[in-house]
Amino acid sequence: MVKKIILLLVAVGVLLFGYAYYTISASPAVPNDLEGPVTIEIPTGSSYEDVLGILATAGIEPDRKLLDPLAERMAWKRPKMRSGRYKLEPGMSYLDLIRKLRNGSQEAVKVVLTTEREPMNVAAKVARFLEPDSLDFVRLFQNEAYLDSIGFSPETLQTLFIPNTYELYWNSSPREFIARMIKEHDRFWNTGNRLERARALKLSPAEVYTLASIVEKESLRPDERPIIAGLYLNRIRKGMRLEADPTAVFATREFSVGRVLNRHTQFDSPYNTYKNAGLPPGPITMASVGSIDAVLNEEKSDYIFMCARGDGSGYHNFAKTMAGHSRNIAVYVANLRARGIR
């Protein structure tokens, strides 16, 4: 009888302890009175105390007498805590808080890539969204052995990046970022018969992208980009130099220049298509999807010359012959004069 009473008391004690443990662990660790969800970022290599400091800065200060034993018991506490970006809801319990941070249930960040000029600009842009410093990305982008292993070079790396908005984890490494870009690049080129169209033009995807980057810089008017693409493809087929003003600007690095002059077109650089036949070694900017598709879907014509209209519209006049081009130049000059521009 005594033994049964002892066993009963032990069972009741266990139940009471379990109930108390559950009640405490299920109580709010994140205050209920927060205005809304709180997002925290835990850098790579953070200690347990570092994480508690990050939580405190966000207005979350759990009772250490409750948190510490749970952190030990649930194997969350370790010399180097799990990094990442996490959204914490008001009223989140001790158990849920620890599980979320321990399991790495991160919130993705939106990485926005637009028409960044060069890989170093991509590095700076991506570093605004992800944990690694821009120098970490630059070092990888300049690692020729690594680039060769993924089929690119310092000159062609920019062709990897397709402008879009991508969801990645905040603590993604530069190599993880590149791996995602490779996946997106391959998906892009395998969509909409783009690879087949590139082959029909007898160009590689990198060459299409490079030409698209020139088309991108030649016109702010998307509706005339297929015409410009067709014009440049005509020049390539005829063995003519592209003589594209944006390549001379890129070669001289005078990106703010208002008008391309003789000193630009005569600048010695492999990127200057006034001095060199064919395409430059790589893109002169990140090409938009619209410009890439403009090359792949060129507007057929016999045009081989183009000249800005000079009327402020942003459009160009096109010509099949030098005589026609000369007339378009005269129109350009007259329009500039009419606008008081010399």
Side-chain angles (χ1 to χ4, degrees):
M1 184 68 179
V2 173
K3 187 179 292 187
K4 288 183 178 180
I5 292 173
I6 292 172
L7 289 173
L8 180 62
L9 290 173
V10 170
V12 170
V14 169
L15 287 172
L16 289 173
F17 177 80
Y19 176 76
Y21 176 83
Y22 174 79
T23 300
I24 292 170
S25 60
S27 63
V30 180
N32 281 306
D33 58 358
L34 292 179
E35 293 183 359
V38 172
T39 299
I40 65 167
E41 293 174 347
I42 301 176
T44 300
S46 295
S47 67
Y48 180 68
E49 295 298 329
D50 290 334
V51 174
L52 295 184
I54 293 167
L55 288 170
T57 301
I60 302 170
E61 300 185 74
D63 187 336
R64 295 289 297 268
K65 292 179 182 179
L66 302 180
L67 181 70
D68 292 350
L70 277 175
E72 295 276 4
R73 187 182 296 273
M74 297 177 68
W76 175 47
K77 184 178 180 180
R78 60 189 71 178
K80 290 185 178 181
M81 303 294 284
R82 193 157 200 164
S83 63
R85 184 175 188 268
Y86 303 93
K87 184 169 74 172
L88 308 179
E89 299 287 346
M92 182 176 282
S93 71
Y94 282 80
L95 284 175
D96 289 339
L97 173 66
I98 291 174
R99 284 172 180 155
K100 189 176 190 73
L101 300 182
R102 181 193 64 186
N103 298 340
S105 303
Q106 292 193 60
E107 289 294 308
V109 296
K110 295 183 185 297
V111 178
V112 181
L113 294 182
T114 51
T115 50
E116 317 305 327
R117 182 176 287 118
E118 298 177 89
M120 69 175 66
N121 303 115
V122 174
K125 185 68 171 290
V126 174
R128 288 167 49 187
F129 301 100
L130 303 183
E131 179 188 13
D133 186 86
S134 61
L135 287 177
D136 295 328
F137 290 100
V138 169
R139 289 189 191 100
L140 185 64
F141 293 176
Q142 294 178 343
N143 185 330
E144 295 192 30
Y146 171 74
L147 295 182
D148 183 65
S149 73
I150 61 172
F152 291 86
S153 68
E155 292 78 20
T156 63
L157 176 60
Q158 192 76 337
T159 69
L160 173 63
F161 306 119
I162 307 298
N164 207 337
T165 298
Y166 302 100
E167 289 194 349
L168 291 97
Y169 288 131
W170 173 75
N171 57 348
S172 297
S173 69
R175 286 181 182 244
E176 288 171 333
F177 168 73
I178 287 291
R180 174 64 181 279
M181 292 301 99
I182 291 171
K183 182 178 179 180
E184 297 295 341
H185 170 276
D186 293 347
R187 177 182 295 153
F188 174 82
W189 283 100
N190 284 297
T191 300
N193 297 318
R194 289 189 175 100
L195 279 179
E196 291 79 0
R197 291 174 182 174
R199 292 191 193 103
L201 294 174
K202 298 182 180 179
L203 297 174
S204 68
E207 289 171 328
V208 169
Y209 192 112
T210 298
L211 180 53
S213 74
I214 298 173
V215 172
E216 180 83 23
K217 285 298 185 182
E218 279 286 16
S219 180
L220 298 175
R221 300 295 184 180
D223 56 325
E224 75 169 6
R225 286 175 181 167
I227 305 174
I228 296 173
L231 181 153
Y232 280 133
L233 287 167
N234 286 342
R235 293 182 77 93
I236 290 173
R237 293 172 185 131
K238 292 177 179 291
M240 301 173 66
R241 293 177 182 173
L242 296 184
E243 297 185 350
D245 287 357
T247 66
V249 171
F250 183 87
T252 58
R253 322 298 291 174
E254 295 184 25
F255 299 119
S256 61
V257 67
R259 190 181 302 179
V260 174
L261 304 173
N262 188 60
R263 62 184 172 84
H264 297 105
T265 61
Q266 295 306 305
F267 188 83
D268 190 16
S269 165
Y271 283 89
N272 188 353
T273 57
Y274 277 90
K275 301 279 286 184
N276 304 281
L279 293 166
I284 60 172
T285 189
M286 186 186 293
S288 67
V289 171
S291 290
I292 295 170
D293 286 340
V295 174
L296 295 174
N297 300 279
E298 58 167 315
E299 183 169 319
K300 301 289 187 180
S301 73
D302 294 324
Y303 296 139
I304 54 175
F305 298 102
M306 62 183 289
C307 180
R309 293 180 184 176
D311 58 0
S313 68
Y315 283 100
H316 295 75
N317 287 322
F318 302 92
K320 303 174 184 178
T321 64
M322 178 56 76
H325 184 51
S326 297
R327 288 192 294 271
N328 289 339
I329 292 175
V331 170
Y332 168 74
V333 172
N335 283 335
L336 289 185
R337 286 176 178 167
R339 297 169 60 204
I341 301 174
R342 301 294 179 185

